[in-house]
Amino acid sequence: MKKLIISFAILFLFTGITYAVESTGPDYLFVVNFDNGTYAEGKLTLNGNGQSNVIYFSDKPEVESGHMGIKKFVSIWGEGEENFNTTPPNCTLSVIKEEVENNSVFIISNPKVDGTQIMFDAELVSGKPEPKFEAGGLFIDTKLGSNNQN
């Protein structure tokens, strides 16, 4: 429960830090909670993300919310005209250890799932992620992408 509360608190802070881009559909924020993970040599791995799901919601005017399994999330990665394959998303990796928050921004691509583990190719944009880290959240915003930054 504590992870969920922290995730939503960070979520509300994060939603104000976005760049506007033209889009034909609603903008979504996806949140992947995880128990622990690693970052090394351009690979971001998140392990045992609770019940292996991704929480999502959209911005007004088409408000949607829900959750889906990580396999479903990876399967829709390249769907539609505007997708994460054409514009790899930026994301914030947020880890809280002993009440200290550590946030790092990445451009992620090529997701792969193995059981309750999800792995991405990850280009570090800012921050100093630990090579090994404990529980946190990965916030993926469809308004953000490597081709759309201001």
Side-chain angles (χ1 to χ4, degrees):
M1 183 67 175
K2 183 178 176 184
K3 273 198 311 190
L4 186 59
I5 292 169
I6 291 170
S7 294
F8 281 118
I10 295 168
L11 175 73
F12 290 119
L13 292 172
F14 182 72
T15 56
I17 308 171
T18 59
Y19 299 87
V21 297
E22 291 183 32
S23 176
T24 57
D27 294 313
Y28 288 89
L29 181 64
F30 298 94
V31 181
V32 180
N33 288 312
F34 54 87
D35 295 330
N36 58 64
T38 59
Y39 173 67
E41 300 177 11
K43 302 287 183 189
L44 179 63
T45 303
L46 309 177
N47 298 307
N49 71 6
Q51 298 181 29
S52 300
N53 66 29
V54 177
I55 301 166
Y56 67 90
F57 70 92
S58 65
D59 204 357
K60 294 176 184 175
E62 299 175 41
V63 178
E64 290 182 52
S65 63
H67 64 277
M68 67 182 82
I70 56 174
K71 289 180 183 175
K72 169 79 174 183
F73 178 66
V74 169
S75 77
I76 65 169
W77 190 267
E79 286 185 2
E81 190 173 315
E82 297 177 28
N83 63 61
F84 290 153
N85 283 334
T86 58
T87 306
N90 285 0
C91 64
T92 295
L93 177 72
S94 184
V95 178
I96 297 177
K97 182 177 179 182
E98 299 174 6
E99 301 300 321
V100 176
E101 185 177 2
N102 180 5
N103 292 325
S104 300
V105 176
F106 295 91
I107 297 170
I108 56 174
S109 59
N110 301 317
K112 293 175 182 59
V113 174
D114 183 11
T116 60
Q117 182 179 74
I118 187 167
M119 299 147 283
F120 300 94
D121 291 343
E123 176 187 336
L124 183 62
V125 175
S126 66
K128 294 181 180 177
E130 297 290 327
K132 289 181 151 183
F133 46 85
E134 297 301 317
L138 182 71
F139 298 85
I140 305 168
D141 191 340
T142 59
K143 290 182 183 180
L144 299 173
S146 62
N147 298 329
N148 295 324
Q149 291 182 336
N150 288 342

